[in-house]
């Protein structure tokens, strides 16, 4: 087995390698003067089971090209099997046609990864589960929920707790988390006026006097969770903590979170945290390196990965 790391999230790749007690394979990923990507695998991978670790986060297109070229280099180096490990799957929010003459970019990305030569895909908390069906190769969609559950129990306990979905679309995710810790759920009814902006209109469920755990897969501008926190506190919640798998946090999101009434935003390191995220007083980062490391180990050994979901 070999681990090959792209440049998108080196600290996570190093943490996975430490978990596996396996140093990353020597490789060079650099840019020419015109920003073309150049890759060289600097050790023998012939006949090896290779795992390429690369989040396709910002800059999404650069990181995507790195991933594709790494896969191509490994394919041409006679690797036996190549697994694309994507802690964060970019373009996942473009999973359907929201209007006429629009693309389904999540499907296009799946096609690119397959055509580059990947034999398997391993990712975490896809924005929509049906994206697995965009691939014609085995695809494992891991969940960060077990990592979050342990942190919730350690940091906050489960007494007087309610899990809240920030919108109707996230109810399945919220219900699954609530079932794990045996607490009730509530839902924020959200009306989005335009992309990137949202307005919470109502709260469905009893949150008065409760400690609320908001749960979502992606936080980008931060507007949804900030508005949801305000609505919950106005309905009598005592405090609001938000758990999100992928901290995209673009634009002024970090400042918006810091100035909000959220007690804390807890994200994973599926995307490399920026300096602003690391310095924020109410943003905390959980590592999913053990989760991904164990999934990689089991995949290499042809063992069950589904038991990691529970």
């Amino acid at each position: 087995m070999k681990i090959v790391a792209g440049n998108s999230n080196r600290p996570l790749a190093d943490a996975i390698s430490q978990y596996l007690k396996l140093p990353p394979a020597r490789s060079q990923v650099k840019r020419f003067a015109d920003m073309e990507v150049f890759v060289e695998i600097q050790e023998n991978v012939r006949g090896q089971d290779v795992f390429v670790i690369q989040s396709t986060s910002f800059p999404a297109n650069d990181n995507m090209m790195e991933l594709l070229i790494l896969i191509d280099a490994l394919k041409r180096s006679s690797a036996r099997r190549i697994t694309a490990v994507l802690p964060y799957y970019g373009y996942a929010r473009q999973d359907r046609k929201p209007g006429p003459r629009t693309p389904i970019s999540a499907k296009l990305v799946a096609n690119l990864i397959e055509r580059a030569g990947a034999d398997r895909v391993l990712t975490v908390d896809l924005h929509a589960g049906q994206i697995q069906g965009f691939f014609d190769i085995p695809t494992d969609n891991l969940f960060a929920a077990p990592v979050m559950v342990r942190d919730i129990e350690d940091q906050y306990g489960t007494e007087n707790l309610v899990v809240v979905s920030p919108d109707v679309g996230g109810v399945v995710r919220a219900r699954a988390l609530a079932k794990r810790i045996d607490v009730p759920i509530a839902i924020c009814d959200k009306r989005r006026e335009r992309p990137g902006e949202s307005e919470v209109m109502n709260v469905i469920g009893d949150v008065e006097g409760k400690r609320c755990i908001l749960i979502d897969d992606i936080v980008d501008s931060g507007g949804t969770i900030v508005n949801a926190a305000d609505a919950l506190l106005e309905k009598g919640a005592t405090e609001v903590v938000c758990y999100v798998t992928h901290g995209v946090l673009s634009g002024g999101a970090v400042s918006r979170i810091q100035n909000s009434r959220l007690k804390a935003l807890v994200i994973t390191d599926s995307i490399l945290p920026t300096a602003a995220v690391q310095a924020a007083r109410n943003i905390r980062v959980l590592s999913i390196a053990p989760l991904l490391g164990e999934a990689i180990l089991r995949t290499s050994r042809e063992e069950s990965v589904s038991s990691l979901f529970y």
Side-chain angles (χ1 to χ4, degrees), residues 30-235:
K30 67 177 186 179
R31 300 285 194 277
F32 289 124
D34 64 353
M35 299 308 291
E36 279 189 8
V37 177
F38 173 76
V39 165
E40 183 180 7
I41 310 299
Q42 297 175 320
E43 62 182 75
N44 181 32
V45 294
R46 185 179 296 272
Q48 296 287 319
D49 192 7
V50 184
F51 294 82
V52 184
I53 301 171
Q54 177 82 332
S55 281
T56 50
S57 50
F58 177 84
N61 300 333
D62 288 355
N63 287 330
M64 178 63 66
M65 283 305 300
E66 271 191 22
L67 172 66
L68 299 175
I69 294 171
L70 277 166
I71 292 171
D72 185 73
L74 291 164
K75 197 74 174 178
R76 295 176 189 278
S77 302
S78 302
R80 176 175 58 85
R81 182 173 68 173
I82 302 166
T83 301
V85 181
L86 289 82
Y88 172 70
Y89 185 90
Y91 288 95
R93 285 172 285 182
Q94 299 184 50
D95 62 333
R96 64 195 183 282
K97 282 174 67 73
R101 296 173 296 282
T102 56
I104 305 179
S105 302
K107 169 60 176 169
L108 173 62
V109 169
N111 290 344
L112 290 169
I113 291 170
E114 278 191 56
R115 293 300 296 269
D119 299 294
R120 297 185 65 95
V121 170
L122 181 62
T123 187
V124 182
D125 275 329
L126 285 170
H127 184 62
Q130 64 265 26
I131 293 174
Q132 294 172 85
F134 292 176
F135 290 92
D136 291 323
I137 54 178
T139 303
D140 291 310
N141 181 30
L142 302 178
F143 301 110
V147 178
M148 294 177 176
V149 165
R150 285 193 293 271
D151 191 75
I152 291 168
E153 291 174 342
D154 291 343
Q155 296 289 329
Y156 307 105
T158 57
E159 186 178 350
N160 207 33
L161 209 65
V162 58
V163 171
V164 183
S165 172
D167 52 34
V168 175
V171 171
V172 173
R173 185 179 299 106
R175 185 182 295 119
L177 182 69
K179 185 178 179 181
R180 287 174 183 270
I181 56 179
D182 194 24
V183 299
I185 72 166
I187 305 163
C188 291
D189 175 31
K190 179 184 70 176
R191 180 174 299 170
R192 188 182 296 274
E193 300 297 335
R194 59 186 63 86
E197 296 182 14
S198 64
E199 180 182 0
V200 172
M201 303 298 291
N202 197 14
V203 176
I204 303 168
D206 181 20
V207 298
E208 187 171 357
K210 303 282 189 180
R211 296 178 301 141
C212 294
I213 301 290
L214 273 168
I215 179 73
D216 212 345
D217 63 323
I218 296 174
V219 56
D220 189 350
S221 67
T224 296
I225 61 172
V226 166
N227 290 344
D230 288 341
L232 292 167
L233 291 167
E234 287 166 9
K235 291 292 184 179

Side-chain angles (χ1 to χ4, degrees), residues 244-255:
V244 179
T245 305
H246 307 298
V248 176
L249 296 172
S250 60
V254 174
S255 176

